[in-house]
Amino acid sequence: MTVNMTKGQAISLQKNDGGSLTAVRMGLGWQAAPRRGLFGSRTREIDLDASAVLFADKQPVDVVFFRHLVSDDGSVRHTGDNLVGGVGQGGDDEAILVDLSRVPVHIDQIVFTVNSFTGQTFQEVQNAFCRLVDETNGEELARYTLAGGGSYTAQLMAKVHRSGTGWTMTALGNPANGRTFQDLMPAILPVL
């Protein structure tokens, strides 16, 4: 059963049977918002990019994004860049796979971000979401709808962090500005 998350809400990534999740997919989906023009409504392609920044004791140690598709240790993998969004018709336009059982023990947090590489604002985006899926069976565990329409170019979506012997996901939903994950580091550090 999917949990529809609200900003700041945290959920444990323990399975109902008490076991731990071993592999999850953070999916991102979006569509271009129609704009009214002289000749009716039209849309402009929106290139959003998903990134995962891996932290050890609040220090960034690796990143997975469209130019570095696999973490150095192989535990986190980006499925590839989508330049337009909306092709999934409600499905994932970009996804980042995390093999939780292979994440090195010194990595304690993974922050997922989305940014507009072309500099378009979220006022031009609709139906944007991130979701967490149990990759072993395809079951959607949690969904966070990115509340719309701000004049910002990026958003900190969620973080997955170690909690005891397992992992917890926290929905962030913090607006930010930047075209790349590097631009977002000043916004990421306070949420660690």
Side-chain angles (χ1 to χ4, degrees):
M1 180 167 90
T2 298
V3 174
N4 287 315
M5 299 183 73
T6 58
K7 183 175 180 171
Q9 182 179 3
I11 61 165
S12 171
L13 300 186
Q14 297 291 325
K15 289 186 171 190
N16 290 338
D17 64 7
S20 294
L21 290 170
T22 56
V24 295
R25 176 177 70 235
M26 179 64 73
L28 169 68
W30 73 91
Q31 294 175 325
R35 297 183 318 176
R36 293 195 184 274
L38 186 59
F39 301 106
S41 293
R42 58 192 162 105
T43 59
R44 187 171 142 199
E45 292 179 349
I46 305 286
D47 179 14
L48 296 183
D49 293 317
S51 301
V53 185
L54 289 69
F55 288 88
D57 196 29
K58 298 187 179 187
Q59 297 298 315
V61 294
D62 202 355
V63 66
V64 173
F65 70 117
F66 70 94
R67 289 190 178 146
H68 184 240
L69 295 176
V70 180
S71 63
D72 294 339
D73 59 51
S75 66
V76 182
R77 185 171 52 92
H78 195 296
T79 60
D81 196 13
N82 179 326
L83 301 177
V84 297
V87 296
Q89 301 301 318
D92 300 336
D93 293 310
E94 290 194 12
I96 298 175
L97 307 171
V98 181
D99 185 342
L100 295 169
S101 64
R102 289 185 55 205
V103 174
V105 295
H106 71 284
I107 304 293
D108 54 6
Q109 297 187 68
I110 303 171
V111 177
F112 297 93
T113 67
V114 57
N115 56 273
S116 172
F117 186 73
T118 52
Q120 294 156 305
T121 69
F122 274 71
Q123 291 171 325
E124 299 178 62
V125 176
Q126 69 180 11
N127 301 326
F129 66 88
C130 69
R131 68 188 191 125
L132 191 71
V133 176
D134 181 343
E135 194 61 14
T136 61
N137 63 15
E139 179 185 351
E140 183 175 285
L141 304 169
R143 177 178 287 259
Y144 177 61
T145 301
L146 304 177
S151 60
Y152 47 88
T153 59
Q155 195 164 91
L156 310 183
M157 296 188 308
K159 70 177 179 176
V160 175
H161 49 99
R162 291 192 190 268
S163 179
T165 59
W167 292 86
T168 297
M169 175 187 169
T170 302
L172 298 172
N174 295 358
N177 282 298
R179 294 183 42 213
T180 66
F181 73 89
Q182 294 101 323
D183 298 339
L184 302 180
M185 291 308 288
I188 294 173
L189 295 176
V191 303
L192 298 178

